[in-house]
Amino acid sequence: MCRQSATVCLTKSPSLDGVAGLPLMERLRVLPDPRRRRGVRRPFVAVLLVAASAVIAGARSYAAIGQWSANAPQHALARLGGRAVGALGVRVAPSAATIRRVVALACPGGLADLTGADPAGSDSVAVDGKAARGSRHGEVPAAHLLAAMTGDGRTVTQLRVPGKTNEITCFASLLAPFDLSGVTVTADALHTQRAHVRFLVEEKKAHYLLVVKANQPGLHRRLRSLPWKDVTARRYDRETGHGRRETRATRALTVTGLGLDFPHAAQAVRILRHRTDLRTGKVGRQTVYAITDLTSRQASPQRLGQLARSQWIIENRLHFVRDTTFAEDASKIHTGHGPDNMATLRNLAINTLRAAGHRSIAAGIRHVSYEPFTRPLDLLGID
């Protein structure tokens, strides 16, 4: 089995040792070519680079990537490593069928790891999942993709959750290849699991801040019963935006020695949110509880509130962007590793455009599309 695959893969995910800092083309050379040697005419890495460049230029489907490839000029194909034929060395672009076959066969775990950001040294990493709804086919459910993103909006990797299971079984596999020393990992209530906490703290030397809801009824009940009214360590934040005004009151309480019965727990957090819709005047109130191994010296209520909000980064800056800008839920790609690898190419495009200074991914794609055969290659560092 491929490390991050929902189906049987012919290759193993490559090790990340020694590839950090290498250009994208060199990193992709580590990825094994899953095709049979006989009859192969298009270089594996070149096909992947064509697909990546087309997605950055706005391609959303195999057909659109194939159209970009068919119209690519000789200088672009040469930079991408396209196959040269004849005495004149004419570069031949991969067809849409070849692109479809390569993307559907490529090791999804290796591709996600090799094209993602290195989380080492980051302040936080958020973990969350999303279903690619359009990939549902007949009785086969939609591909569910679990992703990790740094606090500054760089996608680290992703994993396709195997059928008949859920995100819990894939949490450790998602983060296992990476150096997370000193990084605070945040996740929603589904991942508030003792095994996850031991994996993070004891094996990865990382920290955690996890939301606690009714799926952990005993823990949730104990957190609610803590003496929150007596807590003096608190922080108030107010902001206005997106048509609403929000006030957040964050309180933190040291729980060491209180018999909370959760591994490495040092502080409990309660966040009370008041939201007012500026158009209708409707007021909403929500109380969120969380738990962390960060001590009061390591994390003040202000920092804990920031970490709790960083969990929304992956939803707003990755999943929402893939839905609205790349129309991921409308994509009907469903065969092989196609759904996972196309999502990985979208992640790469988002990372690349953000690294180039584009705050709006849609605006960045428009900028690239004005010179679709040079700007994507420049952004990917392809000489």
Side-chain angles (χ1 to χ4, degrees):
M1 285 287 289
C2 178
R3 183 184 75 82
Q4 297 185 11
S5 171
T7 55
V8 174
C9 185
L10 299 178
T11 60
K12 297 292 184 180
S13 291
S15 170
L16 298 181
D17 296 337
V19 301
L22 292 178
L24 177 63
M25 182 178 288
E26 296 303 318
R27 296 201 306 273
L28 290 178
R29 294 189 194 283
V30 180
L31 197 63
D33 187 343
R35 299 172 296 177
R36 297 179 180 178
R37 292 185 179 181
R38 184 175 181 179
V40 171
R41 297 182 179 180
R42 304 290 180 263
F44 178 62
V45 173
V47 177
L48 291 178
L49 291 176
V50 165
S53 301
V55 171
I56 294 178
R60 298 178 176 180
S61 63
Y62 289 145
I65 296 173
Q67 188 174 7
W68 186 95
S69 175
N71 286 277
Q74 287 292 298
H75 67 82
L77 294 175
R79 292 174 65 183
L80 292 165
R83 177 171 175 254
V85 298
L88 298 178
V90 176
R91 303 282 178 170
V92 180
S95 66
T98 297
I99 294 167
R100 181 186 299 108
R101 183 166 59 253
V102 168
V103 173
L105 289 175
C107 171
L111 186 63
D113 290 350
L114 292 169
T115 57
D118 184 359
S122 299
D123 178 66
S124 64
V125 168
V127 175
D128 196 20
K130 173 190 178 298
R133 298 177 184 177
S135 63
R136 180 175 180 177
H137 183 69
E139 298 299 321
V140 179
H144 192 87
L145 306 173
L146 184 66
M149 173 175 268
T150 63
D152 57 359
R154 296 175 297 132
T155 304
V156 176
T157 187
Q158 74 174 14
L159 172 157
R160 182 170 177 175
V161 178
K164 299 182 180 180
T165 183
N166 58 32
E167 296 178 14
I168 295 174
T169 61
C170 304
F171 182 88
S173 298
L174 178 76
L175 301 175
F178 302 98
D179 178 10
L180 297 175
S181 300
V183 178
T184 301
V185 176
T186 66
D188 59 23
L190 180 66
H191 296 289
T192 306
Q193 307 289 332
R194 287 163 171 77
H196 291 2
V197 166
R198 294 189 181 99
F199 164 74
L200 290 173
V201 177
E202 298 170 13
E203 294 186 33
K204 306 303 292 183
K205 310 304 178 185
H207 300 291
Y208 69 86
L209 186 141
L210 301 173
V211 174
V212 179
K213 292 184 178 178
N215 65 318
Q216 292 277 0
L219 181 60
H220 186 256
R221 184 169 56 252
R222 287 192 291 272
L223 289 181
R224 290 183 60 187
S225 65
L226 291 174
W228 293 108
K229 292 183 179 180
D230 302 329
V231 173
T232 57
R234 60 185 69 179
R235 167 77 179 187
Y236 293 94
D237 294 286
R238 296 177 177 85
E239 65 179 31
T240 301
H242 304 287
R244 68 188 180 208
R245 182 172 59 250
E246 180 173 289
T247 300
R248 296 182 301 276
T250 304
R251 301 189 183 195
L253 177 64
T254 298
V255 295
T256 306
L258 296 183
L260 206 57
D261 189 29
F262 197 76
H264 306 286
Q267 288 192 92
V269 185
R270 189 184 79 167
I271 303 174
L272 183 60
R273 296 172 177 162
H274 290 272
R275 293 178 178 175
T276 302
D277 190 305
L278 298 179
R279 185 176 63 85
T280 64
K282 183 178 180 181
V283 178
R285 174 175 171 171
Q286 180 185 28
T287 302
V288 177
Y289 294 95
I291 195 164
T292 179
D293 69 317
L294 293 166
T295 65
S296 58
R297 291 187 177 183
Q298 294 173 309
S300 64
Q302 178 182 5
R303 172 161 162 72
L304 292 173
Q306 292 170 346
L307 287 171
R309 282 187 61 79
S310 72
Q311 178 60 26
W312 288 97
I313 288 178
I314 190 169
E315 181 66 33
N316 295 334
R317 305 192 69 184
L318 181 65
H319 297 160
F320 179 77
V321 173
R322 291 205 326 232
D323 278 343
T324 57
T325 304
F326 292 98
E328 182 170 90
D329 282 349
S331 173
K332 298 300 181 182
I333 294 173
H334 62 271
T335 57
H337 303 306
D340 354 3
N341 286 335
M342 281 299 295
T344 292
L345 293 177
R346 297 177 190 120
N347 294 343
L348 174 61
I350 293 169
N351 280 1
T352 303
L353 291 169
R354 287 217 174 98
H358 294 284
R359 298 185 62 183
S360 167
I361 301 304
I365 290 176
R366 286 195 298 271
H367 173 77
V368 170
S369 68
Y370 302 144
E371 296 181 20
F373 301 113
T374 55
R375 288 180 178 173
L377 281 63
D378 294 340
L379 292 176
L380 290 173
I382 301 172
D383 298 328

